[in-house]
Amino acid sequence: MTFDPLSLRNQFPIFRTNLDKPLFYLDNAASTQMPQTVIDAVTEYETHSRANVSRGVHRLAEAATENFEAARQTVARYIGATSPKEVIFTSGTTDAINLVAQTFGEQLEKGDEVVVTLAEHHSNWVPWYMLAKQKGIILKFLPVEDNGRLDLSKLDQVVTSKCRLIAATHCSNVTGAITDVSALVKAAKSVGAKVLLDGAQMVPHGPVDVGALGVDFYAFSGHKMYAPNGIGVLWGQQSLLETLPPYRGGGGMIRSVSLEGITYAPPPERFEAGTPPIAQAVGLKAAIEWIESIDLHEATKVSHSLMETLLTEMEAQKGLRIIGPVGVNDRLPVVSFTLRDAHPHDVSQILDSIGVAVRGGHHCAQPLMEAYEIDGCTRASFGLYNDYSDVQTLLNGIDKVRGIFS
Amino acid sequence: MSSNLYQDKIIALSKDLSNAGRLDKPDTTATLDNPLCGDRVTLDIKLKNNGISELSHHVRGCALCKASAALLATEGKAKTSEELMEMTVALENYFKEGKKLPEGWQTYEVFAPVKDHKSRYDCVLLPLKAAVEALS
Ligand SMILES: Cc1ncc(COP(=O)(O)O)c(C=O)c1O
């Protein structure tokens, strides 16, 4: 296999349509674009197989169910699940984490502790905060180092014998720092706690192996990995899922309902009340197959080289602060920065004027902003279709910002 | 082009810190957030005859928000709560529908380029909304 970002870019209609100027899309950590093959898979399903799942015997219902379950199998393979039964479809990472907070969390007791890190997206913070308020659980916080990495030297202090769960991101959506999962797992196991990883940023860059990671829950979203939005995944260890109460009530998650009572379906259906996002699951399957068709080893070399160029140029600029680790090791191509005289929203707006799409603000990670004593930052995040032109145009844009605000 | 937003006048206003900071013993104070972007405006206001006699601003936000707060510190002088409320609505309509600004607020036409940038209306409106809140 060879890897050529430009030929990949040609597979994405967004780069050809509706735009009055070229698009330098560097907002992939928020949402990636969709390749034609994913769009086609969704259209094909909606055109020829649309129906509700698991409830009908007619041809279309069978086809829809088949498609939906095939998607579950593809996800299971991509993340190294031992069985598709461990794959729960949700509406996204946020929904997946709330699911854990309300089922696993339901079993926690007053005084139990949950550890989150200061690098979390609000979606892996707020559900735990809400649970803490509801149930009198104590939240503990693992700090970050100045270089954007989790301060693992503090693990001993925050993970006590009362700890029931460590909820941490696999990769920060701000700093791009990849978490040393083994350290978290070791600390958790030593006190019998579980580990939930937020993989929203990690999975778009290639398959993960939940078994090898040694975690208990893993959450991610489709729209950040070239798939439609409205779908995400919670993976959980089967034996653990079986012990959990249901999440939402409704159709599809029961075995039987009568006046005497209700028997719930086994996982994963127990956690999938209501009509699931079927077309979105079909799209997710197509997106995974698309990612798997790429030489990710070569792709990583390219993204590292782009990131290295960008970081080197940035390090030489006065008044520019990189929010994240030095260098490209153990890091995804997510580069956040501040400029001394320009607010991130102004930076993003000026970059937009030359076709560069980045994100400015707190990135739903206000505790991290607070830790670094900044109001916000501007983030450039790379996908598989980015190339040197994106880096160069971004750097030109930063010059332009400096020209306006100096 | 978005960069038209950043005309010299707006940039100059955003850097005008003559009324930035906090007042000693203000008659009223308000802090308002824009939850979408995290911008935050704090206004301290002194009153005379129902109108603003002195206004200081502390802005954590973008150039548009800072420029708007700086302009309010001068243009808001002697304005009453009713006038500020009227202007807040009028400025929104000025952006959205191209309607005229009320008498006495013409200097806000410096923000005309914001009309083309829906997502930035609130940046300019936030200081006015904070003033309305402070006076209500
Ligand atoms: C690290 C991380 N976690 C969680 C989320 C939330 O994902 P979603 O909005 O798809 O639920 C995001 C997305 O912004 C993210 O970057």
Side-chain angles (χ1 to χ4, degrees), chain A residues 312-323:
Chain A
T312 309
E313 290 281 337
M314 283 181 158
E315 277 158 15
Q317 295 198 15
K318 272 217 183 92
L320 189 153
R321 176 178 167 201
I322 296 166
I323 309 296

Side-chain angles (χ1 to χ4, degrees), chain A residues 241-263:
Chain A
L241 292 180
E242 277 162 5
T243 65
L244 301 182
Y247 176 34
R248 300 190 182 112
M253 49 78 75
I254 46 86
R255 194 170 262 158
S256 72
V257 177
S258 74
L259 294 184
E260 280 74 49
I262 294 175
T263 327

Side-chain angles (χ1 to χ4, degrees), chain A residues 21 341 343 345-347 349-350 352-354 360-362 366 375 400 404-406, chain B residues 1-3 5-6 11 15 35-39 60-64 117 119-120:
Chain A
K21 52 187 173 249
D341 298 317
H343 189 275
H345 289 133
D346 299 319
V347 177
Q349 185 95 55
I350 293 164
D352 176 64
S353 74
I354 58 166
H362 54 58
Q366 282 180 321
D375 302 337
K400 186 167 180 174
I404 290 172
F405 283 96
S406 62
Chain B
M1 275 239 307
S2 318
S3 57
L5 263 183
Y6 298 98
I11 298 293
K15 292 181 176 169
L36 277 184
C37 63
D39 283 1
R60 183 185 81 185
C62 63
L64 295 179
H117 301 279
S119 64
R120 306 302 295 276

Side-chain angles (χ1 to χ4, degrees), chain A residues 29-30 91-95 97 121 123 169 171-173 198 200-201 221 223-224 379:
Chain A
S91 68
T93 308
T94 305
D95 190 30
I97 296 172
H121 188 279
S123 67
T169 191
C171 171
S172 159
N173 66 314
D198 170 353
Q201 292 300 331
S221 299
H223 67 95
K224 293 182 198 288
R379 177 185 70 192

Side-chain angles (χ1 to χ4, degrees), chain A residues 152 155 159 166 168 179-197 210-217 237:
Chain A
L152 298 173
L155 264 178
V159 181
I166 300 180
T179 301
D180 175 358
V181 178
S182 62
L184 299 184
V185 169
K186 193 164 156 235
K189 298 297 158 200
S190 74
V191 296
K194 306 292 182 199
V195 177
L196 174 148
L197 276 193
V210 287
L213 286 168
V215 298
D216 303 279
F217 297 109
Q237 264 196 13

Side-chain angles (χ1 to χ4, degrees), chain A residues 3 294-302:
Chain A
F3 179 74
I294 290 163
D295 183 342
L296 291 169
H297 184 69
E298 287 302 309
T300 306
K301 275 196 208 157
V302 170

